[in-house]
């Protein structure tokens, strides 16, 4: 069986007892970055063998890993933080397993956008997950499409591109569109700033952001 196991996005205590049990019991853990995952495993005294499975090798290794599971192994897939497959490696391996008849179980658990969405104060009964925007090709077209999105939008971004992205969103969606920026979720310096897109631009020009970023933007006319 393949177990898809969410891991903490910040505080190491944000992991379920079931997830810890499975990480101890499986034959192998596939990790996005074995160095990052080793910190979590060491914290919980887990000694299961680790092997890399990341965006640079998943195209070549997913079929092989699925065959290995089909031969009788139990394997857990984890990413650096959060739920594998959500803007992280995982989809290709899950698809390969499904196609080969391998049972897949995805455990419930941490993902960065849920606390950011709820904490934003914007409507969260319906929402649109964009993830990372295109960095170059297709970025302008995507911004134009998002300007017509009626539901609250979720966008992942790096701290180095945050101001630029907020400026572009302000240009295409309107400077007065309400939004929030959450960073370092579940960590010591967790912070959420709320306001209009232009207010957020001005804030982060004065206070350079650090850490993982989730942008929440109000839908059109919401």
């Amino acid at each position: 069986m393949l177990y898809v196991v969410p891991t903490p996005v910040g505080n190491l205590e944000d992991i379920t007892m079931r997830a810890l049990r499975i990480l101890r019991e499986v034959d192998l853990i596939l990790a996005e970055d074995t160095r990052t995952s080793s910190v979590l495993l060491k914290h919980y005294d887990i000694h299961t063998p680790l092997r890399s499975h990341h965006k640079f090798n998943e195209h070549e290794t997913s079929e092989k890993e699925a065959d290995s599971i089909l031969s009788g192994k139990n394997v857990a897939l984890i990413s650096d933080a959060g739920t594998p497959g959500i803007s992280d490696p995982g989809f290709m391996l899950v698809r390969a397993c499904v196609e080969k008849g391998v049972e897949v179980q995805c455990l419930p658990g941490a993902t960065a956008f849920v606390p950011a969405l709820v904490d934003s104060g914007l409507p969260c009964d319906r929402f649109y997950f964009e993830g990372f925007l295109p960095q170059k090709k297709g970025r302008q077209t995507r911004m134009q499409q998002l300007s017509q999105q009626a539901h609250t939008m979720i966008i992942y971004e790096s701290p180095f591109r945050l101001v630029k992205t907020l400026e572009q969103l302000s240009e295409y969606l309107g400077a007065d569109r309400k939004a929030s920026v959450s960073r370092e979720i579940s960590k010591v310096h967790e912070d959420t700033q709320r306001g209009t897109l232009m207010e957020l631009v001005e804030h982060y020009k004065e206070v350079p952001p650090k850490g993982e970023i989730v942008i929440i933007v109000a839908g059109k006319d919401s």
Side-chain angles (χ1 to χ4, degrees), residues 6-15 40 44 80-82 110:
T7 53
V9 297
N11 193 311
L12 293 182
E13 294 179 0
D14 295 338
I15 190 167
L40 174 69
Y44 285 106
D80 288 350

Side-chain angles (χ1 to χ4, degrees), residues 70-87:
L70 191 61
S71 71
K73 287 187 177 181
N74 288 314
V75 173
L77 173 67
I78 61 177
S79 61
D80 288 350
T83 302
I86 305 297
S87 293

Side-chain angles (χ1 to χ4, degrees), residues 64-116:
K64 178 181 176 181
E65 298 293 0
D67 286 335
S68 177
I69 299 168
L70 191 61
S71 71
K73 287 187 177 181
N74 288 314
V75 173
L77 173 67
I78 61 177
S79 61
D80 288 350
T83 302
I86 305 297
S87 293
D88 278 327
F91 160 69
M92 291 185 180
L93 177 58
V94 171
R95 180 177 62 183
C97 286
V98 169
E99 290 175 348
K100 293 176 181 293
V102 173
E103 186 174 355
V104 178
Q105 285 190 7
C106 181
L107 278 62
T111 188
F113 77 78
V114 173

Side-chain angles (χ1 to χ4, degrees), residues 27 46 53 60 67 76-77 120 122-123 142 150 153 169:
D27 302 302
I46 297 171
H53 183 82
E60 292 77 26
D67 286 335
L77 173 67
S120 71
L122 295 170
R142 199 76 198 105
M153 291 164 274
L169 288 170

Side-chain angles (χ1 to χ4, degrees), residues 2-162:
L2 173 67
Y3 295 95
V4 181
V5 181
T7 53
V9 297
N11 193 311
L12 293 182
E13 294 179 0
D14 295 338
I15 190 167
T16 67
M17 294 176 66
R18 182 185 174 204
L20 292 174
R21 175 180 60 81
I22 286 173
L23 292 176
R24 290 189 177 98
E25 292 179 354
V26 293
D27 302 302
L28 174 68
I29 297 172
L30 297 176
E32 183 178 3
D33 187 326
T34 56
R35 296 165 298 180
T36 300
S37 297
S38 292
V39 175
L40 174 69
L41 300 183
K42 182 178 180 181
H43 181 80
Y44 285 106
D45 196 29
I46 297 171
H47 304 284
T48 306
L50 275 174
R51 188 156 67 218
S52 294
H53 183 82
H54 46 71
K55 65 180 181 180
F56 301 108
N57 71 4
E58 63 176 339
H59 292 80
E60 292 77 26
T61 62
S62 290
E63 291 287 330
K64 178 181 176 181
E65 298 293 0
D67 286 335
S68 177
I69 299 168
L70 191 61
S71 71
K73 287 187 177 181
N74 288 314
V75 173
L77 173 67
I78 61 177
S79 61
D80 288 350
T83 302
I86 305 297
S87 293
D88 278 327
F91 160 69
M92 291 185 180
L93 177 58
V94 171
R95 180 177 62 183
C97 286
V98 169
E99 290 175 348
K100 293 176 181 293
V102 173
E103 186 174 355
V104 178
Q105 285 190 7
C106 181
L107 278 62
T111 188
F113 77 78
V114 173
L117 174 63
V118 175
D119 201 33
S120 71
L122 295 170
C124 52
D125 54 334
R126 292 182 176 86
F127 56 86
Y128 176 81
F129 180 77
E130 173 68 18
F132 287 98
L133 288 161
Q135 290 189 30
K136 294 181 181 179
K137 185 178 180 180
R139 188 177 177 91
Q140 181 178 352
T141 299
R142 199 76 198 105
M143 290 282 187
Q144 292 171 339
Q145 293 169 341
L146 291 177
S147 71
Q148 302 303 311
Q149 175 57 246
H151 302 318
T152 301
M153 291 164 274
I154 301 164
I155 298 169
Y156 285 173
E157 192 50 279
S158 82
F160 309 106
R161 294 192 299 267
L162 177 61

